[in-house]
Amino acid sequence: MIPPPLWQLLREVRRLRVQVHADSPDPARDRRERHRGSGVIEVEEGAASVLWRERGQWETGRLAGLSFRNVTRWTRSAESGALEVAHGRRVRTVFLAAFQEERPGLLVAVAPHLCGGDSYSAALHWREDRLVLVWSVSGRRQSYRLAVTAWPVARRRRGSSG
């Protein structure tokens, strides 16, 4: 079951930050790759789904200055009521994970997403004003952690000027 405040937050987010921390696959290289980017989210709501159209720009690392785009679909499973996530960057939507609650404020993927020789494990941390989706990726040729932090645009308080 998806906690109602989490479903509401998925519908309200409008900003995002993406951080990638990758171990270099080349043992001769003595550094870790780090990339950070930020952007915006356009949200489309359906009866049982929330679609994020993400776009932004990489700010640090070798990707600095390049734009990025992604489409993420959050769905309430018709069978279990669980939260599922998929991406649609290509021609079709690809299922990535179904989540189960591990403890309040933390959902974890029931099983890793397998793609080629890589394994993608996911955890979704959330609180009232933001959520963080963390992917831990491991494979023969790559190992990295990707964190997407999303939050609503700050609301103005009554009586504030500007």
Side-chain angles (χ1 to χ4, degrees):
M1 188 69 163
I2 304 168
L6 172 58
W7 189 252
Q8 183 65 28
L9 185 58
L10 289 167
R11 296 168 45 211
E12 291 178 351
V13 298
R14 296 295 186 270
R15 301 277 189 252
L16 75 123
R17 179 177 56 244
V18 181
Q19 295 177 297
V20 179
H21 299 275
D23 292 321
S24 172
D26 181 353
R29 290 168 65 181
D30 165 36
R31 63 181 175 80
R32 295 172 61 106
E33 298 284 339
R34 296 191 188 280
H35 307 283
R36 187 181 67 239
S38 63
V40 296
I41 301 170
E42 282 182 38
V43 176
E44 293 178 27
E45 296 182 46
S49 67
V50 175
L51 185 74
W52 288 1
R53 294 189 186 281
E54 307 159 22
R55 61 184 163 76
Q57 188 165 7
W58 292 105
E59 299 162 347
T60 64
R62 289 184 299 145
L63 301 176
L66 296 177
S67 297
F68 65 82
R69 292 184 180 275
N70 190 41
V71 176
T72 302
R73 180 178 303 277
W74 302 93
T75 306
R76 295 182 203 200
S77 168
E79 290 118 30
S80 68
L83 180 64
E84 298 178 348
V85 65
H87 74 70
R89 288 182 288 180
R90 296 186 176 84
V91 176
R92 62 187 175 96
T93 300
V94 177
F95 172 81
L96 298 174
F99 291 93
Q100 65 185 11
E101 189 172 33
E102 184 166 289
R103 65 177 188 268
L106 174 63
L107 287 90
V108 295
V110 173
H113 172 73
L114 303 176
C115 182
D118 297 328
S119 175
Y120 294 73
S121 298
L124 179 63
H125 307 264
W126 65 278
R127 60 179 192 243
E128 182 178 306
D129 63 343
R130 75 185 46 229
L131 59 86
V132 181
L133 175 62
V134 178
W135 291 98
S136 297
V137 182
S138 60
R140 287 183 296 132
R141 298 199 289 173
Q142 63 181 346
S143 174
Y144 65 93
R145 183 176 171 269
L146 181 140
V148 178
T149 303
W151 62 94
V153 173
R155 295 185 185 124
R156 290 188 180 174
R157 294 183 202 170
R158 288 186 182 174
S160 66
S161 61

